[in-house]
């Protein structure tokens, strides 16, 4: 019969990699709660309109990458391509703006984008996403970056490059957009890549971060976004940089960092690695004042970021496989019940391990014990089931001791304490 396969760009995350994801999530919960963030779980499905109105109808994410479904009754549903829009919708739905002046929310989980899969670029990927709503202060921007770096340190990732830019605001950016649009219109349209030729009219800022070298060369003399900004935006960005310097955080200014989502204003940032290939951005974010209002909510400023967990996992390396304490085997069918109960008692006492499900030759059981990686193999019923003794075999050095079933529990606890003490020495 033919096999049903996995969809391209959608991964099964087996151990030991799944442990990396669990440890990232645990570290995120610990670090973010130190900064007052609380976990919000939002749906994977939303009305498609939410994304067109937040990320932007002309963006690649909305135009080309969303998984859109017929939701019945003329409604269109989409699998979430990112978390920010859903968090904003939830914030508005719950009326959080009226309940607290600042809302600090994080959310973890899968996102979906119909992209061409490659290393670090998946169709289903996982983000750790943080949003701080309610403050327009540059302190909030700086604190998000500080928190992101602290989280990355906690999971052992250092040495990334922090790239920063300011995109201006609703007052100054339209002027810049017009100037950039006029500049692009003055170029030979055929010299731009087909994407940029289209974006020049619809979303000219995106031409600045095109990776095609011809487009980059053609835009070397484009008007400067930094020069075009109003004094409020300039001083906001200067203050963000000041706060980062106060924490000795290194950064690079990158005037081409416009990001692929339309909701940003003022500060934008990315953390980039030189060690994971072309898909080098492990986190990205920025300020999005006006987004909540554009979605029908109050006029509340916000700033946030998201990290890509698959890309972080590439930087974390393989974790050590956990070492179980025991593997229990029954030497005969009559001893299976004792073996089963012993395993349960040991687990109740916080030992980790498994029990062989069937009674086969001792040789084959020992092979299973070795494969399990356990520190000790407990063999129950070797002397017959009436007076079952348990043999404890140390799987590292092969030494064995034997004890009656009634003593095994305290002996085993003692062994663990002893081994623990020797590893501490
Ligand atoms: P983004 O830059 O689109 O921003 O995604 C954030 C991160 O998600 C990227 O830096 C990358 O690590 C990861 N990522 C994105 N697409 C993929 C993919 N196809 N495969 C694997 N990883 C991927 C956002 O999503 C914004 N919502 C971030 C934000 C939150 N801004 C403000 N608040």
């Amino acid at each position: 019969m033919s096999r049903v396969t996995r969809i391209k760009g959608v991964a099964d995350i087996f151990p030991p990699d799944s442990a990396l994801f669990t440890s990232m999530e645990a570290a995120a919960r610990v670090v973010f709660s130190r900064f007052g963030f609380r976990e919000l779980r939002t749906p994977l499905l939303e009305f498609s309109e939410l994304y067109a109105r937040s990320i932007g109808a002309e963006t690649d994410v909305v135009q080309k990458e969303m998984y859109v479904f017929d939701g019945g009754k003329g409604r269109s549903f989409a699998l979430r391509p990112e978390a920010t829009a859903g968090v904003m919708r939830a914030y508005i739905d719950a009326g959080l703006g009226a309940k607290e002046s600042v809302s600090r929310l994080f959310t973890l989980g899968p996102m979906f984008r119909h992209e061409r899969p490659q290393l670090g670029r998946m169709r289903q990927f996982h983000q750790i996403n943080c949003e701080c709503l309610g403050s327009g202060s540059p302190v909030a921007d700086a604190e998000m970056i500080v928190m992101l770096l602290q989280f990355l340190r906690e999971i052992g990732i250092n040495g990334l490059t922090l790239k920063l830019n300011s995109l201006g605001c609703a007052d100054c950016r339209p002027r810049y957009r017009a100037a950039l649009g006029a500049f692009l219109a003055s170029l030979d349209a055929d010299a731009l890549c087909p994407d940029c030729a289209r974006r020049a009219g619809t979303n000219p800022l995106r031409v600045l971060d095109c990776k095609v070298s011809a487009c980059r060369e053609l835009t070397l003399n484009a008007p400067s976004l930094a020069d075009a900004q109003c004094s409020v935006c300039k001083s906001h960005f200067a203050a963000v940089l000041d706060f980062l310097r106060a924490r000795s955080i290194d950064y690079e200014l990158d005037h081409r960092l416009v990001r692929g989502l339309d909701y940003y204003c003022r500060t934008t940032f990315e953390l980039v690695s030189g060690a994971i290939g072309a898909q080098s951005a492990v986190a990205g974010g920025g300020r999005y004042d006006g987004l909540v209002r554009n979605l029908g909510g109050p006029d509340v400023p916000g700033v946030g970021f998201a990290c890509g967990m698959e890309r972080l996992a590439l930087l974390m390396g393989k974790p050590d496989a956990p070492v179980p304490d025991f593997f229990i085997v029954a030497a005969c069918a009559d001893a299976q019940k004792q073996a089963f109960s012993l395993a349960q008692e040991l687990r109740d006492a916080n030992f980790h391990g498994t029990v062989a499900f069937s009674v086969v030759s001792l040789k084959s059981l020992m092979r299973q014990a070795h494969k399990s990686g356990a520190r000790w193999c407990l063999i129950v019923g070797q002397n017959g089931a009436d007076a079952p003794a348990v043999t404890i075999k140390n799987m590292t050095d092969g030494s064995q001791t034997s004890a009656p079933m009634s003593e095994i529990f305290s002996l085993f606890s003692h062994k663990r304490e002893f081994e623990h003490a020797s590893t501490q020495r």
Side-chain angles (χ1 to χ4, degrees), residues 94-413:
L96 276 191
K99 294 177 189 152
E100 51 193 24
S101 59
V102 178
S103 296
R104 296 177 172 89
L105 301 165
F106 72 93
T107 184
L108 315 166
M111 311 293 153
F112 305 85
R113 293 185 194 176
H114 190 180
E115 297 195 80
R116 199 166 36 80
Q118 64 179 90
L119 181 73
R121 187 162 70 190
M122 310 287 297
R123 288 176 174 169
Q124 177 177 326
F125 59 99
H126 296 77
Q127 282 187 344
I128 295 177
N129 181 88
C130 291
E131 312 293 356
C132 176
L133 288 142
S135 172
S137 162
V139 183
D141 307 32
E143 195 176 78
M144 290 307 268
I145 294 171
V146 167
M147 183 171 82
L148 170 59
L149 293 173
Q150 187 165 333
F151 160 68
L152 293 171
R153 266 199 308 280
E154 193 88 8
I155 57 170
I157 296 179
N158 295 291
L160 299 174
T161 304
L162 170 63
K163 295 191 170 191
L164 281 166
N165 193 19
S166 173
L167 294 183
C169 65
D171 284 337
C172 56
R173 197 168 35 184
R175 281 200 300 276
Y176 176 72
R177 228 180 103 109
L180 180 64
F183 171 83
L184 294 173
S186 74
L187 299 175
D188 173 8
D190 293 340
L192 292 168
C193 76
D195 274 341
C196 285
R198 178 177 52 82
R199 287 172 186 147
T202 56
N203 201 355
L205 263 77
R206 285 286 282 150
V207 178
L208 293 179
D209 79 344
C210 179
K211 303 291 178 281
V212 176
S213 53
C215 298
R216 291 182 92 80
E217 270 167 38
L218 283 167
T219 49
L220 280 177
N221 295 324
S224 151
L225 176 55
D227 292 347
Q229 282 177 39
C230 64
S231 57
V232 185
C233 286
K234 280 184 181 162
S235 63
H236 180 95
F237 194 48
V240 174
L241 301 183
D242 247 5
F243 280 104
L244 294 178
R245 281 194 297 268
R247 296 298 308 149
S248 305
I249 291 171
D250 291 332
Y251 57 80
E252 272 179 19
L253 296 181
D254 180 355
H255 71 279
R256 290 186 182 269
L257 184 70
V258 301
R259 312 264 302 130
L261 313 158
D262 276 359
Y263 47 63
Y264 291 114
C265 64
R266 295 196 174 149
T267 317
T268 53
F269 56 91
E270 272 184 8
L271 278 172
V272 179
S273 161
I276 53 171
Q279 300 306 314
S280 58
V282 300
R287 178 159 282 287
Y288 46 77
D289 304 347
L291 175 58
V292 177
R293 190 193 53 224
N294 289 344
L295 291 171
D299 192 5
V300 168
V303 58
F305 67 79
C307 323
M309 295 176 78
E310 281 75 4
R311 294 185 194 175
L312 293 179
L314 289 172
L315 289 168
M316 287 170 82
K318 291 270 178 244
D320 292 335
V323 178
D325 295 311
F326 64 81
F327 184 76
I328 301 186
V329 305
C332 59
D334 290 342
Q336 259 197 311
K337 232 176 257 165
Q338 281 103 334
F340 175 74
S341 296
L342 178 59
Q344 205 42 57
E345 279 167 37
L346 289 170
R347 290 178 192 133
D348 286 348
N350 223 4
F351 289 100
H352 299 224
T354 52
V355 60
F357 286 143
S358 49
V359 181
V360 286
S361 73
L362 204 58
K363 201 168 154 202
S364 153
L365 288 170
M366 282 305 116
R367 219 177 294 127
Q368 290 181 30
H370 273 293
K371 232 175 160 184
S372 79
R375 299 160 77 193
W376 296 296
C377 176
L378 308 187
I379 307 157
V380 184
Q382 228 170 356
N383 304 341
D386 293 343
V390 179
T391 303
I392 304 183
K393 180 169 176 166
N394 182 323
M395 299 302 286
T396 317
D397 62 16
S399 62
Q400 290 192 184
T401 44
S402 205
M405 188 75 175
S406 54
E407 286 174 21
I408 197 68
F409 186 74
S410 63
L411 188 71
F412 202 75
S413 303

